[in-house]
Amino acid sequence: MRILVVNVNTTRAMTEGIAHAARQAASAGTEIIGLTPEFGAESCEGNVESYLAALGVMDAVLKYPGQFDAVIQAGYGEHGREGLQELLDVPVVDITEAGAALALLLGRRFSVVTTLDRTVPLIEDRLLLAGLDAHCVSVRASGMAVLELEENPDAAVAAIVEQAAEAVEQDRAETIVLGCGGMADLGEIIRRRCAVPVVDGVAAAVRLAESLVGLGLSTSKVRTYAPPRQKRLSGWPFGQSAAADAD
Amino acid sequence: MRILVVNVNTTRAMTEGIAHAARQAASAGTEIIGLTPEFGAESCEGNVESYLAALGVMDAVLKYPGQFDAVIQAGYGEHGREGLQELLDVPVVDITEAGAALALLLGRRFSVVTTLDRTVPLIEDRLLLAGLDAHCVSVRASGMAVLELEENPDAAVAAIVEQAAEAVEQDRAETIVLGCGGMADLGEIIRRRCAVPVVDGVAAAVRLAESLVGLGLSTSKVRTYAPPRQKRLSGWPFGQSAAADAD
Amino acid sequence: MRILVVNVNTTRAMTEGIAHAARQAASAGTEIIGLTPEFGAESCEGNVESYLAALGVMDAVLKYPGQFDAVIQAGYGEHGREGLQELLDVPVVDITEAGAALALLLGRRFSVVTTLDRTVPLIEDRLLLAGLDAHCVSVRASGMAVLELEENPDAAVAAIVEQAAEAVEQDRAETIVLGCGGMADLGEIIRRRCAVPVVDGVAAAVRLAESLVGLGLSTSKVRTYAPPRQKRLSGWPFGQSAAADAD
Amino acid sequence: MRILVVNVNTTRAMTEGIAHAARQAASAGTEIIGLTPEFGAESCEGNVESYLAALGVMDAVLKYPGQFDAVIQAGYGEHGREGLQELLDVPVVDITEAGAALALLLGRRFSVVTTLDRTVPLIEDRLLLAGLDAHCVSVRASGMAVLELEENPDAAVAAIVEQAAEAVEQDRAETIVLGCGGMADLGEIIRRRCAVPVVDGVAAAVRLAESLVGLGLSTSKVRTYAPPRQKRLSGWPFGQSAAADAD
Amino acid sequence: MRILVVNVNTTRAMTEGIAHAARQAASAGTEIIGLTPEFGAESCEGNVESYLAALGVMDAVLKYPGQFDAVIQAGYGEHGREGLQELLDVPVVDITEAGAALALLLGRRFSVVTTLDRTVPLIEDRLLLAGLDAHCVSVRASGMAVLELEENPDAAVAAIVEQAAEAVEQDRAETIVLGCGGMADLGEIIRRRCAVPVVDGVAAAVRLAESLVGLGLSTSKVRTYAPPRQKRLSGWPFGQSAAADAD
Amino acid sequence: MRILVVNVNTTRAMTEGIAHAARQAASAGTEIIGLTPEFGAESCEGNVESYLAALGVMDAVLKYPGQFDAVIQAGYGEHGREGLQELLDVPVVDITEAGAALALLLGRRFSVVTTLDRTVPLIEDRLLLAGLDAHCVSVRASGMAVLELEENPDAAVAAIVEQAAEAVEQDRAETIVLGCGGMADLGEIIRRRCAVPVVDGVAAAVRLAESLVGLGLSTSKVRTYAPPRQKRLSGWPFGQSAAADAD
């Protein structure tokens, strides 16, 4: 089974980190291909960058020359998953939703811990649209930007662990979801500190994608995610080919 | 006061129709500038096209060389309004939300009548995210595609009026919102048939934009819609200039 | 265009203040007529007084001898708007709802800052019934009574600004709505302190009323707000004449 | 124990019918006093009449010269209960809420069957504000006006029973609440036809009022229903005396 | 009238305390029979014990040899009420729900104060399933286990009163519901300290059960609570006889 | 990896069918052990039987002598999953919740098709408590009892497929979840008829359990699902040993 794991920003080092986390989580026999969009932002921390990512991810997947069995959109709180579901016949799993879906099975309520305050609304909105918000008691921001996670890891770790602890104690979360593609290594630290399960969205998405493929399940095409209608697209990197591929 | 009314598709005739409707609704002294995205789909009826529109609209606004006081995103149920709000200091009004906001003042419950079944989820999601869904009792599709509205106007009118009538009788709607940028002319027909107020999103957006400008109000910049952070964007029509403009 | 702005209490100085705020907000060519109920309480801070206001406002409007194009009910959180909508053919705008409707367009979440703790439930209930509560993260009370706003303006300002600041910082509000007819002057102070848009309900209502009139829209009469049925009323100031006017 | 059962309209025959139903439901030792407002409408079927009723009921209770242990507001879907709770130290029970509160104990979901279509929104709003709407699957109107219940009882019975049957079969209601003060006699007919429990709001309110009195419970006075503040009221039947009584 | 009040644990002293509280609350002429399950836990503070209680209570009721008019399940937050409703023709009242149902009539919002933190989710879930959660602003735990209430009453009282006070001040509760069968004596203390009504679930349940019996109302049998279908049960104390009794 | 798949009724043939379905869905290397409760009902179609199942399943798992890595509760809409989570350190997956969790990834809205009308409320309540109800547009009953599925398979298939088709067409479901442990073979028939993905709860649960085990995740023990407190249990099959095992 081959799964495309698509980063939402253009920073290749982050793609590699995400692909590494995905491979750690994958079953034997699953091949993980990391893709980086050709255009977009070096990190996604707002709607403009997220809308860019939506297109960048679709573009990267459509240009991928090989076969694949599932696609993971590896950005926390980003736009775009619905577009991939329209374009593709294989299952599409968003890491924001994947983390939440598994968290629901592990404790009564969960919290998401993410980077900047301004990404909180994006995550809340994705969970709301996915019908996965009812048991999410908080989305908390550590105040560390995406790129700071790599630049200043100690401070980032401390800030994130503190938010996780407050989520458990004050918000009554029983499970923590790591709300950022670059946070996978923090799981163990939070788990030790807070004594709760910690779900990494990338790992969850890999296992969920494998599950769907294994069960022969893919996106419903009857209404919302029907293939795009045949029509004239202009001026876009993947232009007509997108619609053509979708038929 | 100058308001940019930005079409979400690349069909210039529709831009003209929208701009015409906007001018009909505008107060004396308001100048309406219709903009057409340089890239995108000839009509928007799904998520892929809608995500393209999100970028196409941002691109068109950022390239507009003149001054302006407000921007209207003139696509029913499309992605992208949040991005515009990040990029701009002037008020941004989405016609989906504008129609709903005025409908709340006119009757206890409202219904949206739109084109294709597949656009219903997009509209429902926008209203949900905007906090304007509580009194929306239904989003009904006439089954007519956007471009059919112009090609076969009689059949389109009949199908849409029928849905409006059912919304009033079966769903207990007391107000009808026209859920498509190209439907403005239908208002009078529905009003006569159903004896309820009919709100056109474009007209509503024009008046709401004028209201915000008149009151000196614009988008809050404290969190969700703060300007994009300074960062490297690559491979994009409006590239660095977007972030630059936003500062 | 002539708009009646009806105070909910019997204090004429407050009517004048409200009418002044309304004129400041109105477009050129809009005439604002301030009305004071003939009976009721000197200020409204609870349900008994609010139910009195509901009738006092209807009575004042029905006795107004001239023509008018719209009515604004200028009490924050008061009962009665639905009755006016039944009685009148022109649009009716409640300032509680108007402030919220515009706030939805300006930021992701809003808070209302009002006077006494006991008026908080009234405001929450009005927003709930109007379908405008989903994005209201808090209704906060400054602890200052309505009449204290004029008697002790410095303390009132300080208390209100503090609540606004807490709403932005703790409740994650991105917009503040002034929850009292007499607070209009505070907007600029809060705006400077909190760096968020501040919506005054009276100003919002004036622009929304103008918008509805300008678009030829008024209350739906198909069900909830159909004119009162012909029946015998007894012992009431506007008695039979109310039903008569409504036909 | 003496309970005031206050009709919301000025039709004394209806007061007598309600008082009779209340006496049928009351425990031994409970005295039922029926009160009719001195002003208001001959029947309540809309917001104007309902706001009149809110004041008429308060006025009637405040003028009642004797002692009493609880008050029942006997109008289905009417405004005003919150005002009575502010004014009085004894428990206040609204029949709309009482019927729903008992229905929750008898089946998983309930429906309300009422008179005219235009009263449906009033009932829905009362249940929503009371926190009793979650298990209400429908409020259905028979199309018979309040006064027709007495004028044309056979047709009224048939229309109401039909709605009850549809509520059970189509809306999956398991309990029916009679949504009108004058419907008490219909319970047995619906019970036989639909084989479900039928709750009459007046009867429910009597038993709930007795329960509260028996347990020494009454309205909380800490915030929402604190007594009205001392202030100048003008031009009102119960004028200053209302505030005076409340202290 | 004879009401069975069934304890959910096997501690007979608690059954006696509950029965005593029930008798204090009952009307003249109501006979209270306290029942203790033959199997189960000495106190219920979690799901395993609560599921045991569900069966233990059903078993105790089915084995009770005499006639009875209503059953009260006297455990706060426990599973099982739905099963009793299937098995019995007489009304069944759960004390969790009874306390909430009366609290809705006494103040705008209520809080439940209970024992251990781990029982909070059980209570929240019962209120949610019963449609009684909308006005419940918090379920607060004192940290005292059920059995500690008797062992260390002073500390228990102090801890519980503190939570009640915080519920009123911080959560804006206007009524307190005692969330534990053994807390009935605390009511007066909290009432004095917090100046709000305090509802004891056992007392509320007794009066509600009396009300239903008095009005001739019992559980709807059309769908959810229809008698169990005839089928083979094996290995259970009340085995076939349960189904047999239910016919 | 060894997964216990526990039937909720005492019919061994159904356990075998469920275990067979689980093995079909399992990855290579996963061993499926089917368990049948020692006591309970021959099929579960109501609350009494479901509460019996809750205990029967816990009892069967606690008595299982070997090691295991996860437990699946294989009853649609049954009580009890929370108890297993308290008792066990390994992950517990309920098939009702598993089917819904995967359905959320496959289409915008889903419907559950189940057996009898009376099981609909049980399923709705489980989804509500699990936070998985937001995108469930309907739970539809075919009217066929559990045991009829095997006795009269052709009629059962026809009835179920019809409900699935109506769910897609009328309720706008885009995915169907099979709401019964014995329905696994129907998936392909519905898929062909309705052209939507069909999720079998047992298969979904197997893959989700494998995913959790593979990722080293299990139930949070901080609050709701903490091990039962040490206390005296009496008269129960697994008696003290349950608590003992849990430490």
Side-chain angles (χ1 to χ4, degrees):
Chain A
M1 182 186 315
R2 180 183 289 166
I3 299 176
L4 303 186
V5 179
V6 197
N7 186 8
V8 293
N9 61 47
T10 57
T11 302
R12 285 180 195 282
M14 291 197 68
T15 308
E16 285 164 27
I18 292 165
H20 177 72
R23 283 183 199 110
Q24 299 280 102
S27 302
T30 296
E31 180 188 10
I32 299 293
I33 306 285
L35 295 186
T36 309
E38 288 186 7
F39 56 88
E42 62 185 330
S43 68
C44 286
E45 294 162 332
N47 279 288
V48 171
E49 295 149 18
S50 186
Y51 278 122
L52 269 165
L55 275 289
V57 167
M58 286 191 246
D59 184 67
V61 171
L62 289 170
K63 284 178 176 159
Y64 179 74
Q67 299 289 314
F68 50 90
D69 298 289
V71 171
I72 290 170
Q73 175 162 321
Y76 218 86
E78 307 314 339
H79 296 284
R81 184 260 301 157
E82 307 96 323
L84 286 171
Q85 285 185 297
E86 282 181 14
L87 288 171
L88 303 174
D89 288 330
V90 300
V92 175
V93 180
D94 177 272
I95 65 169
T96 321
E97 298 167 18
L102 287 197
L104 287 180
L105 306 177
L106 296 168
R108 189 164 177 272
R109 296 291 185 265
F110 69 90
S111 283
V112 179
V113 181
T114 187
T115 51
L116 295 182
D117 198 35
R118 68 180 296 164
T119 65
V120 170
L122 282 153
I123 294 171
E124 290 177 345
D125 281 1
R126 290 312 298 180
L127 294 177
L128 175 62
L129 287 183
L132 286 162
D133 60 312
H135 284 196
C136 177
V137 288
S138 57
V139 180
R140 283 175 166 266
S142 68
M144 308 298 287
V146 171
L147 298 178
E148 283 178 291
L149 293 180
E150 305 202 359
E151 288 164 12
N152 190 352
D154 286 350
V157 164
I160 290 163
V161 170
E162 186 189 338
Q163 291 301 314
E166 291 190 6
V168 173
E169 287 150 27
Q170 296 174 20
D171 308 337
R172 300 177 66 83
E174 302 186 358
T175 306
I176 296 294
V177 177
L178 292 174
C180 172
M183 278 185 185
D185 295 337
L186 294 169
E188 186 53 29
I189 301 171
I190 297 174
R191 197 174 297 123
R192 279 204 305 268
R193 163 75 186 277
C194 304
V196 296
V198 181
V199 181
D200 173 53
V202 173
V206 168
R207 288 286 179 160
L208 285 168
E210 289 178 350
S211 295
L212 296 176
V213 174
L215 296 172
L217 292 167
S218 190
T219 303
S220 179
K221 291 292 177 178
V222 295
R223 187 174 296 113
T224 307
Y225 306 122
R229 306 179 83 208
Q230 272 296 38
K231 65 182 60 166
R232 192 162 45 82
L233 302 182
S234 50
W236 183 255
F238 57 80
Q240 286 302 77
S241 63
D245 282 11
D247 287 322
Chain B
M1 183 185 316
R2 179 183 290 167
I3 299 177
L4 304 187
V5 178
V6 197
N7 186 8
V8 293
N9 62 46
T10 56
T11 303
R12 285 179 196 283
M14 292 196 67
T15 309
E16 286 164 26
I18 293 164
H20 177 72
R23 283 181 200 111
Q24 298 281 101
S27 301
T30 297
E31 179 189 11
I32 299 292
I33 307 284
L35 295 185
T36 308
E38 288 186 6
F39 56 87
E42 60 185 331
S43 68
C44 285
E45 294 162 332
N47 279 286
V48 172
E49 295 149 17
S50 184
Y51 278 123
L52 269 166
L55 274 289
V57 167
M58 287 191 245
D59 184 66
V61 171
L62 288 171
K63 284 178 176 159
Y64 179 74
Q67 298 289 314
F68 50 90
D69 298 289
V71 171
I72 290 171
Q73 175 162 320
Y76 218 86
E78 307 313 338
H79 297 284
R81 184 261 301 157
E82 306 96 322
L84 286 171
Q85 285 185 297
E86 283 180 14
L87 289 171
L88 303 174
D89 289 330
V90 299
V92 175
V93 180
D94 176 272
I95 64 168
T96 322
E97 298 167 19
L102 288 198
L104 287 178
L105 306 177
L106 295 169
R108 190 166 177 270
R109 297 292 185 263
F110 68 90
S111 284
V112 180
V113 182
T114 186
T115 52
L116 296 182
D117 198 36
R118 69 179 297 162
T119 65
V120 170
L122 282 153
I123 293 170
E124 290 178 345
D125 281 1
R126 290 311 299 180
L127 293 179
L128 175 63
L129 288 182
L132 286 162
D133 60 311
H135 284 196
C136 177
V137 288
S138 57
V139 180
R140 284 175 164 266
S142 68
M144 308 299 285
V146 171
L147 298 179
E148 284 178 290
L149 293 181
E150 307 201 357
E151 289 163 11
N152 190 352
D154 287 350
V157 164
I160 289 163
V161 170
E162 185 189 338
Q163 290 302 314
E166 292 190 5
V168 173
E169 287 151 27
Q170 295 175 20
D171 307 337
R172 301 176 66 82
E174 303 186 355
T175 305
I176 295 294
V177 177
L178 291 174
C180 172
M183 277 185 185
D185 294 338
L186 295 168
E188 186 53 29
I189 301 171
I190 296 174
R191 197 174 297 124
R192 279 203 304 268
R193 163 75 186 279
C194 303
V196 296
V198 181
V199 181
D200 173 53
V202 173
V206 169
R207 288 286 180 161
L208 285 168
E210 289 178 348
S211 296
L212 296 176
V213 174
L215 296 172
L217 293 167
S218 190
T219 304
S220 179
K221 292 291 176 179
V222 294
R223 187 174 297 112
T224 307
Y225 306 122
R229 306 180 81 210
Q230 272 295 37
K231 64 181 61 168
R232 192 164 43 83
L233 303 182
S234 50
W236 184 253
F238 56 78
Q240 285 302 78
S241 63
D245 281 12
D247 285 322
Chain C
M1 182 184 319
R2 180 183 289 168
I3 299 176
L4 303 187
V5 179
V6 197
N7 186 8
V8 293
N9 61 47
T10 57
T11 303
R12 285 179 196 284
M14 291 196 69
T15 308
E16 284 164 27
I18 292 165
H20 177 72
R23 284 181 199 111
Q24 298 281 101
S27 301
T30 297
E31 179 188 10
I32 299 293
I33 307 285
L35 296 185
T36 308
E38 289 186 6
F39 56 87
E42 61 185 330
S43 67
C44 285
E45 294 161 332
N47 279 286
V48 172
E49 295 149 17
S50 186
Y51 279 122
L52 271 166
L55 275 289
V57 167
M58 287 191 247
D59 184 66
V61 171
L62 289 170
K63 284 179 177 158
Y64 179 73
Q67 298 289 314
F68 51 90
D69 298 289
V71 171
I72 290 172
Q73 175 162 321
Y76 219 85
E78 306 314 338
H79 296 284
R81 184 260 300 155
E82 307 95 323
L84 285 172
Q85 286 185 297
E86 283 181 14
L87 289 172
L88 303 174
D89 289 329
V90 299
V92 176
V93 180
D94 176 271
I95 65 169
T96 322
E97 298 167 19
L102 287 197
L104 288 179
L105 306 177
L106 295 169
R108 189 165 177 271
R109 297 291 185 266
F110 68 91
S111 285
V112 179
V113 181
T114 187
T115 51
L116 295 182
D117 199 36
R118 69 181 296 163
T119 65
V120 170
L122 282 154
I123 294 170
E124 290 178 345
D125 282 1
R126 291 310 300 181
L127 294 178
L128 176 64
L129 288 183
L132 286 162
D133 60 311
H135 284 195
C136 177
V137 288
S138 58
V139 180
R140 283 175 166 268
S142 68
M144 307 300 284
V146 170
L147 299 178
E148 284 178 289
L149 294 181
E150 305 200 1
E151 290 163 11
N152 190 351
D154 286 350
V157 164
I160 289 164
V161 170
E162 185 188 338
Q163 291 301 315
E166 290 189 7
V168 173
E169 286 151 28
Q170 295 175 20
D171 308 337
R172 301 176 67 81
E174 303 187 356
T175 305
I176 295 295
V177 177
L178 292 174
C180 173
M183 279 185 185
D185 294 338
L186 295 168
E188 186 53 28
I189 301 171
I190 297 174
R191 197 174 297 123
R192 278 204 305 269
R193 163 76 187 278
C194 304
V196 296
V198 181
V199 182
D200 173 53
V202 173
V206 169
R207 288 287 178 160
L208 285 168
E210 289 178 348
S211 295
L212 296 176
V213 173
L215 296 172
L217 292 167
S218 190
T219 304
S220 180
K221 291 290 176 178
V222 293
R223 186 173 296 112
T224 307
Y225 306 121
R229 305 180 83 210
Q230 272 295 38
K231 66 182 60 168
R232 191 163 44 82
L233 301 182
S234 50
W236 183 254
F238 56 79
Q240 286 300 80
S241 64
D245 282 11
D247 286 320
Chain D
M1 182 184 318
R2 180 183 291 168
I3 299 177
L4 303 187
V5 179
V6 197
N7 186 9
V8 293
N9 61 48
T10 56
T11 303
R12 286 181 196 282
M14 292 196 68
T15 308
E16 285 164 27
I18 292 165
H20 177 73
R23 284 183 198 109
Q24 298 281 102
S27 301
T30 297
E31 180 188 10
I32 299 292
I33 306 285
L35 295 185
T36 309
E38 288 187 6
F39 56 87
E42 60 185 331
S43 68
C44 286
E45 294 161 332
N47 279 286
V48 172
E49 295 149 18
S50 185
Y51 278 122
L52 270 166
L55 275 288
V57 167
M58 287 192 247
D59 183 68
V61 171
L62 288 171
K63 285 178 176 158
Y64 179 74
Q67 298 289 314
F68 50 90
D69 299 289
V71 171
I72 291 172
Q73 174 162 320
Y76 219 85
E78 307 314 338
H79 296 283
R81 184 260 301 157
E82 307 95 323
L84 285 171
Q85 285 186 296
E86 283 181 13
L87 288 172
L88 303 174
D89 289 329
V90 300
V92 176
V93 180
D94 176 273
I95 65 169
T96 322
E97 298 167 19
L102 288 197
L104 287 179
L105 306 177
L106 295 169
R108 189 165 177 271
R109 297 292 184 266
F110 69 89
S111 284
V112 179
V113 181
T114 187
T115 51
L116 296 182
D117 198 36
R118 69 180 296 163
T119 65
V120 170
L122 282 154
I123 293 171
E124 290 178 345
D125 281 1
R126 291 311 298 180
L127 294 178
L128 175 63
L129 287 183
L132 286 162
D133 60 311
H135 285 196
C136 177
V137 288
S138 57
V139 180
R140 282 175 167 267
S142 68
M144 309 299 286
V146 169
L147 298 178
E148 283 178 290
L149 294 180
E150 306 201 359
E151 290 164 11
N152 191 352
D154 287 349
V157 165
I160 289 164
V161 171
E162 185 188 338
Q163 290 301 315
E166 291 190 6
V168 174
E169 287 150 27
Q170 295 173 21
D171 307 337
R172 301 177 67 81
E174 303 187 355
T175 305
I176 295 295
V177 177
L178 291 174
C180 172
M183 278 185 186
D185 294 338
L186 294 169
E188 187 53 29
I189 301 171
I190 297 174
R191 198 175 297 123
R192 280 204 304 269
R193 163 76 186 277
C194 304
V196 296
V198 180
V199 182
D200 173 53
V202 173
V206 169
R207 287 286 179 161
L208 286 168
E210 289 178 349
S211 296
L212 296 176
V213 174
L215 296 172
L217 293 167
S218 190
T219 304
S220 180
K221 292 289 177 179
V222 294
R223 187 174 294 114
T224 306
Y225 306 122
R229 306 179 83 210
Q230 272 295 39
K231 64 181 61 167
R232 191 162 45 81
L233 302 182
S234 50
W236 184 253
F238 56 80
Q240 286 300 77
S241 64
D245 281 12
D247 285 322
Chain E
M1 182 185 317
R2 180 183 290 166
I3 299 177
L4 304 186
V5 178
V6 198
N7 186 7
V8 293
N9 62 47
T10 56
T11 302
R12 284 180 196 283
M14 290 196 69
T15 309
E16 286 164 26
I18 292 165
H20 177 72
R23 283 182 199 110
Q24 299 280 101
S27 301
T30 297
E31 180 188 10
I32 300 293
I33 307 286
L35 295 185
T36 308
E38 289 186 7
F39 57 88
E42 60 185 330
S43 68
C44 286
E45 294 162 333
N47 279 287
V48 172
E49 296 149 17
S50 185
Y51 279 123
L52 270 164
L55 274 289
V57 168
M58 287 192 245
D59 184 67
V61 171
L62 289 170
K63 285 178 176 159
Y64 178 73
Q67 299 289 315
F68 50 91
D69 299 291
V71 172
I72 290 171
Q73 175 162 320
Y76 218 86
E78 308 313 339
H79 296 284
R81 183 260 301 156
E82 307 96 322
L84 286 171
Q85 286 185 296
E86 282 181 14
L87 288 171
L88 303 175
D89 288 330
V90 299
V92 176
V93 180
D94 177 272
I95 64 168
T96 323
E97 298 166 19
L102 287 197
L104 288 179
L105 306 178
L106 296 169
R108 189 165 177 270
R109 297 291 186 265
F110 68 90
S111 284
V112 179
V113 181
T114 188
T115 51
L116 295 182
D117 197 35
R118 69 180 297 164
T119 65
V120 170
L122 282 153
I123 294 170
E124 290 177 345
D125 281 1
R126 290 311 299 179
L127 294 179
L128 175 63
L129 287 183
L132 286 161
D133 60 310
H135 284 195
C136 177
V137 288
S138 57
V139 180
R140 283 175 166 267
S142 68
M144 308 299 285
V146 171
L147 299 178
E148 283 178 290
L149 293 181
E150 307 201 359
E151 289 164 13
N152 190 352
D154 287 350
V157 164
I160 289 164
V161 171
E162 185 188 339
Q163 291 301 315
E166 291 190 6
V168 173
E169 286 150 28
Q170 295 174 20
D171 308 337
R172 300 177 66 82
E174 303 187 356
T175 305
I176 295 295
V177 178
L178 291 174
C180 172
M183 278 186 186
D185 294 339
L186 294 168
E188 186 53 29
I189 301 172
I190 297 174
R191 197 174 298 123
R192 279 204 303 269
R193 164 74 186 278
C194 303
V196 296
V198 180
V199 181
D200 173 53
V202 173
V206 169
R207 288 286 179 161
L208 285 168
E210 289 178 347
S211 296
L212 296 176
V213 174
L215 296 173
L217 292 167
S218 190
T219 304
S220 180
K221 292 290 177 177
V222 295
R223 186 175 296 114
T224 306
Y225 306 122
R229 306 180 82 210
Q230 272 295 37
K231 65 182 60 168
R232 191 161 45 82
L233 303 182
S234 51
W236 184 256
F238 56 80
Q240 285 303 77
S241 64
D245 282 12
D247 287 320
Chain F
M1 182 185 314
R2 180 183 289 167
I3 299 177
L4 303 186
V5 179
V6 198
N7 186 8
V8 293
N9 61 48
T10 57
T11 302
R12 286 180 196 284
M14 290 197 69
T15 309
E16 286 165 26
I18 292 165
H20 177 72
R23 284 182 198 110
Q24 298 281 102
S27 300
T30 296
E31 181 188 8
I32 299 293
I33 306 285
L35 295 185
T36 309
E38 288 186 6
F39 56 87
E42 60 185 331
S43 67
C44 286
E45 294 161 332
N47 278 288
V48 172
E49 296 149 16
S50 185
Y51 278 122
L52 269 165
L55 275 289
V57 167
M58 286 192 247
D59 184 67
V61 171
L62 289 170
K63 285 178 176 159
Y64 179 73
Q67 299 289 313
F68 50 90
D69 299 290
V71 171
I72 290 171
Q73 174 162 321
Y76 219 86
E78 308 313 339
H79 296 284
R81 183 260 302 157
E82 307 95 324
L84 286 171
Q85 285 185 298
E86 282 181 14
L87 289 171
L88 303 175
D89 289 331
V90 300
V92 176
V93 180
D94 176 272
I95 65 169
T96 322
E97 297 167 18
L102 287 197
L104 287 179
L105 306 177
L106 296 168
R108 190 166 176 270
R109 297 291 185 265
F110 69 90
S111 283
V112 179
V113 181
T114 188
T115 51
L116 296 182
D117 198 35
R118 70 180 295 163
T119 65
V120 169
L122 282 154
I123 294 170
E124 290 177 345
D125 281 1
R126 291 310 300 180
L127 294 178
L128 175 63
L129 287 183
L132 286 162
D133 60 311
H135 284 195
C136 177
V137 288
S138 57
V139 180
R140 283 175 165 266
S142 68
M144 308 299 286
V146 170
L147 299 178
E148 283 178 291
L149 293 181
E150 306 202 358
E151 289 163 13
N152 190 352
D154 287 350
V157 164
I160 289 163
V161 170
E162 185 188 338
Q163 290 301 314
E166 290 189 6
V168 173
E169 287 151 27
Q170 295 174 21
D171 308 336
R172 300 178 67 83
E174 303 187 356
T175 305
I176 296 295
V177 177
L178 291 173
C180 172
M183 278 185 185
D185 295 337
L186 294 169
E188 186 54 28
I189 301 171
I190 297 174
R191 198 174 296 123
R192 279 204 305 268
R193 164 75 187 279
C194 304
V196 296
V198 181
V199 181
D200 173 53
V202 174
V206 169
R207 289 286 179 159
L208 285 168
E210 289 178 350
S211 295
L212 296 177
V213 174
L215 296 172
L217 292 168
S218 190
T219 303
S220 179
K221 292 291 177 178
V222 294
R223 186 174 296 112
T224 307
Y225 306 121
R229 307 179 82 210
Q230 273 295 38
K231 65 182 61 166
R232 191 162 45 82
L233 301 182
S234 51
W236 183 254
F238 57 78
Q240 286 302 74
S241 64
D245 281 11
D247 285 322

